[in-house]
Amino acid sequence: MLVLFETAAGYAIFKVLDESKLQQVDSLYKEFETPEKAHKIVKLKHFEKFQDTTEALAAATALVEGKIGKSLKKVLKKVVAKEAHEQLAISDAKLGGVIKDKLDLSCVHSPAVAELMRCIRGQMESLITGLPPREISAMSLGLAHSLSRYKLKFSPDKVDTMIVQAISLLDDLDKELNNYIMRCREWYGWHFPELGKVITDNLAYCKSVRKIGDRTKVAGSDLSDILPEEIEAEVKLAAEISMGTEVSEQDIGNIRHLCDQVIEISEYRAQLYDYLKNRMMAIAPNLTVMVGELVGARLISHAGSLLNLAKHPASTVQILGAEKALFRALKTRKDTPKYGLIYHASLVGQTTAKNKGKISRMLAAKAALAIRYDALGEDTNAEMGAENRAKLEARLRQLEEKGIRRISGTGKGMAKTDKYQHKSEVRIYDPSGDSTIPSTSKKRKFEEVEEEEAADEPATPAVKSKKPKKEQVTEAETEPAEETPKKKKKKKKDKKAEEEAEQPKEEEEEVAVTESTKKKKKKKKVKEEEDDD
């Protein structure tokens, strides 16, 4: 068996002299306690020294990534290919698979091989001749520094620090731009206040102010490259009738310098946004497709790095940025927030207020998968993010169209509804019981009162005569009820008869009361009229 051993100085090929010792893994270290014992187990067959640190760094990087470097390939073809019948002991199983595929050599990786490598490392100075210990330590230290620098330079975990700095700077630039533009509008507004109402765009306002200067020079200035023709005409008209105060040339110079600063910062902000967009598409393409460049960059900045963000669950990604609201809700035992930074994503923004919580939860779940795919996956395409976004958009359409049924096409069957039937009883209010006082006009003649009294007098016996009739009717109804053998029907009919008998009595009493009150009032009115006469 041959052993491939990698050092900072070069590649070493050892031949195992006694393979039976490898079976005793636990006690193998005893065979390497002294250089004499180690020489009885393994023997150096070939040593390929690196020419410089660059070659050593290339070889170490290839081994870390599980690839075959040029120097390693040369050694394997020169030494191992001659003894192809023997197995090659490898410290990395992934590297052994690559060697087997490309050079057709049988490789071995096992706990016994790992223990053998550890023992060889302990006696490396005595086993590899021709290299002084000081030189080996110097080469190891130099390779360690070079490899660390290479990892720091090309590590995907460290590149996202550029995104964190870029999005922080972008937010700071937005704040400063707002302050500068507000100051510029307020400062120049003392001289030409009408310009702020005509030009609403901030960048166009600053460019116009820088070109105009004093408002008396508007008529001679050409603003066609900044403003449309209609707005330019409005500006010139407003300058003629402006109510602003007069300012000196020094004031105009300072205002122009402020406008230059605003324009420069705006151009730099646009350049920084393009840089951030390209960087996000390179580092986290799937996350960028899902939530956009700015929201994705803010999520990464809030978590610290892309790898830290990948460790968060979907529920944390959903409310990331709303920590104050979350802890306040937990403290007061109220509803927790539904979204944080993810609220500014386009998918959440285009939904109705009722569905924002559902969409933010689904978007956070898919975004968490996209983040892990970007941070830990090897592919750099955005297919996974595009597929998940299409699913979310389809789900969004379902939520928005829920409850809205189509009439055309196949939706005709769904549009059919059952006929509505109103089963509740409608009771009409009877105003007759509100008051017993009749509504009569105040001015009546004496003759009309007498006629009414004469007409009302015979009405009372007629009402009274109704009593026996209704009583007879009730008796007639109750007689056949008594003849029936069933007791239940008798009881029901008796109740009905009693109710019917009570109703006319109440009506008669009400009529009697109303008549008596009418007579009293009429007599009072007659007496008052006689007194007046």
Side-chain angles (χ1 to χ4, degrees):
M1 179 185 287
L2 298 177
V3 180
L4 176 63
F5 187 77
E6 305 94 7
T7 65
Y11 292 109
I13 304 292
F14 292 97
K15 185 175 179 61
V16 181
L17 300 176
D18 190 359
E19 294 185 12
S20 61
K21 300 288 185 181
L22 298 179
Q23 295 176 0
Q24 302 172 357
V25 181
D26 296 335
S27 60
L28 186 60
Y29 70 94
K30 295 178 182 179
E31 304 296 331
F32 285 84
E33 288 179 349
T34 59
E36 291 79 13
K37 286 184 178 181
H39 281 289
K40 292 178 181 178
I41 304 297
V42 292
K43 181 184 177 182
L44 181 65
K45 190 171 184 180
H46 181 75
F47 181 74
E48 187 74 23
K49 188 179 178 181
F50 295 133
Q51 295 179 359
D52 52 9
T53 311
T54 307
E55 188 180 353
L57 177 61
T61 307
L63 286 174
V64 169
E65 295 174 356
K67 298 177 182 178
I68 304 176
K70 291 182 179 179
S71 55
L72 179 59
K73 198 172 185 181
K74 184 180 177 182
V75 171
L76 293 175
K77 282 184 177 180
K78 185 190 295 184
V79 180
V80 183
K82 295 179 181 178
E83 300 181 10
H85 61 281
E86 294 198 22
Q87 291 181 332
L88 182 66
I90 299 291
S91 59
D92 187 9
K94 188 178 179 182
L95 180 63
V98 176
I99 292 172
K100 188 175 182 180
D101 292 338
K102 292 192 174 182
L103 301 174
D104 197 18
L105 295 173
S106 60
C107 300
V108 181
H109 176 71
S110 63
V113 172
E115 183 67 17
L116 179 62
M117 294 280 187
R118 191 178 69 82
C119 295
I120 291 173
R121 191 173 291 108
Q123 295 291 339
M124 185 175 63
E125 295 177 2
S126 60
L127 291 173
I128 300 175
T129 56
L131 282 175
R134 184 179 291 180
E135 189 176 347
I136 291 177
S137 62
M139 294 179 76
S140 299
L141 185 62
L143 180 61
H145 283 295
S146 301
L147 191 60
S148 299
R149 264 191 231 101
Y150 175 80
K151 279 188 174 181
L152 187 64
K153 187 178 180 181
F154 294 101
S155 172
D157 303 335
K158 296 298 177 183
V159 176
D160 52 16
T161 53
M162 303 299 167
I163 290 175
V164 174
Q165 298 298 328
I167 191 64
S168 301
L169 179 58
L170 200 66
D171 292 339
D172 292 341
L173 285 177
D174 287 335
K175 291 178 184 177
E176 291 301 320
L177 266 176
N178 288 333
N179 290 333
Y180 278 23
I181 290 165
M182 182 181 69
R183 183 66 55 209
C184 181
R185 280 179 176 272
E186 189 176 349
W187 198 352
Y188 193 70
W190 289 101
H191 178 60
F192 192 2
E194 293 81 6
L195 186 65
K197 296 179 181 178
V198 177
I199 304 173
T200 56
D201 183 57
N202 293 324
L203 189 60
Y205 180 86
C206 292
K207 287 181 179 179
S208 301
V209 170
R210 186 180 64 173
K211 197 162 189 178
I212 292 170
D214 195 346
R215 72 165 185 265
T216 56
K217 301 177 183 177
V218 174
S221 59
D222 183 20
L223 303 174
S224 58
D225 56 338
I226 303 170
L227 304 173
E229 294 180 0
E230 301 84 8
I231 298 177
E232 185 181 359
E234 288 182 24
V235 169
K236 290 181 178 180
L237 182 63
E240 295 176 1
I241 57 171
S242 177
M243 300 292 291
T245 59
E246 296 295 331
V247 293
S248 63
E249 287 295 329
Q250 190 176 3
D251 296 331
I252 294 294
N254 286 323
I255 294 171
R256 276 181 168 168
H257 184 65
L258 179 60
C259 291
D260 290 336
Q261 295 293 321
V262 171
I263 294 166
E264 288 176 8
I265 293 173
S266 299
E267 290 174 356
Y268 175 61
R269 188 199 176 281
Q271 180 186 350
L272 185 65
Y273 178 71
D274 291 337
Y275 163 77
L276 180 64
K277 190 189 297 183
N278 297 331
R279 180 65 72 179
M280 280 296 294
M281 283 304 295
I283 293 172
N286 294 287
L287 178 62
T288 305
V289 170
M290 290 294 296
V291 298
E293 300 89 9
L294 293 176
V295 178
R298 286 193 176 96
L299 286 172
I300 293 172
S301 174
H302 202 81
S305 68
L306 184 63
L307 196 62
N308 289 347
L309 186 61
K311 295 175 184 176
H312 290 316
S315 58
T316 306
V317 174
Q318 182 181 349
I319 60 169
L320 207 65
E323 287 82 6
K324 286 185 180 179
L326 174 66
F327 294 130
R328 185 170 62 246
L330 292 174
K331 190 176 181 180
T332 57
R333 295 186 179 180
K334 293 184 179 180
D335 293 337
T336 54
K338 295 179 181 177
Y339 26 65
L341 291 168
I342 209 168
Y343 178 80
H344 300 287
S346 59
L347 279 172
V348 180
Q350 66 191 15
T351 58
T352 57
K354 184 176 69 174
N355 296 325
K356 282 187 188 294
K358 291 182 181 178
I359 287 296
S360 62
R361 185 178 67 250
M362 291 187 285
L363 180 61
K366 298 296 183 185
L369 293 176
I371 292 162
R372 290 165 193 167
Y373 191 85
D374 290 330
L376 308 171
E378 295 180 357
D379 297 335
T380 56
N381 53 13
E383 293 178 2
M384 180 251 197
E387 289 176 6
N388 287 335
R389 186 179 175 88
K391 290 178 183 177
L392 282 177
E393 288 173 351
R395 178 62 180 152
L396 174 60
R397 285 194 296 271
Q398 287 179 359
L399 289 173
E400 295 293 332
E401 293 173 2
K402 193 176 181 181
I404 301 171
R405 295 179 175 179
R406 295 177 299 172
I407 303 301
S408 61
T410 57
K412 286 183 179 177
M414 295 172 63
K416 291 180 181 178
T417 55
D418 296 330
K419 189 177 179 181
Y420 176 76
Q421 293 180 353
H422 186 68
K423 297 179 181 178
S424 62
E425 295 179 2
V426 179
R427 295 183 180 181
I428 300 171
Y429 179 74
D430 185 13
S432 62
D434 288 349
S435 176
T436 58
I437 301 171
S439 59
T440 55
S441 60
K442 293 181 180 179
K443 295 181 180 179
R444 286 194 176 184
K445 293 182 180 180
F446 180 72
E447 295 176 357
E448 291 177 355
V449 173
E450 287 182 348
E451 288 175 2
E452 286 180 0
E453 287 178 357
D456 290 336
E457 283 174 1
T460 52
V463 173
K464 289 178 182 177
S465 63
K466 286 181 183 178
K467 267 187 181 180
K469 285 182 182 179
K470 295 222 170 177
E471 286 173 0
Q472 290 173 6
V473 172
T474 54
E475 289 173 1
E477 288 176 358
T478 53
E479 283 174 2
E482 290 172 358
E483 294 174 2
T484 54
K486 294 181 181 178
K487 292 181 179 180
K488 292 182 180 178
K489 289 186 177 179
K490 281 183 181 180
K491 289 180 180 178
K492 288 180 181 178
K493 289 183 178 180
D494 290 342
K495 287 181 181 179
K496 288 181 180 178
E498 288 174 4
E499 289 174 1
E500 289 176 357
E502 287 174 357
Q503 285 178 357
K505 287 179 183 178
E506 291 174 358
E507 290 176 359
E508 288 169 5
E509 289 173 0
E510 288 177 0
V511 170
V513 172
T514 53
E515 286 176 357
S516 62
T517 52
K518 282 180 182 179
K519 285 179 181 180
K520 288 178 182 178
K521 286 189 176 182
K522 286 173 184 176
K523 286 178 182 178
K524 286 180 182 179
K525 287 179 182 178
V526 171
K527 287 180 181 179
E528 288 175 0
E529 287 177 359
E530 286 177 356
D531 294 336
D532 293 337
D533 294 336

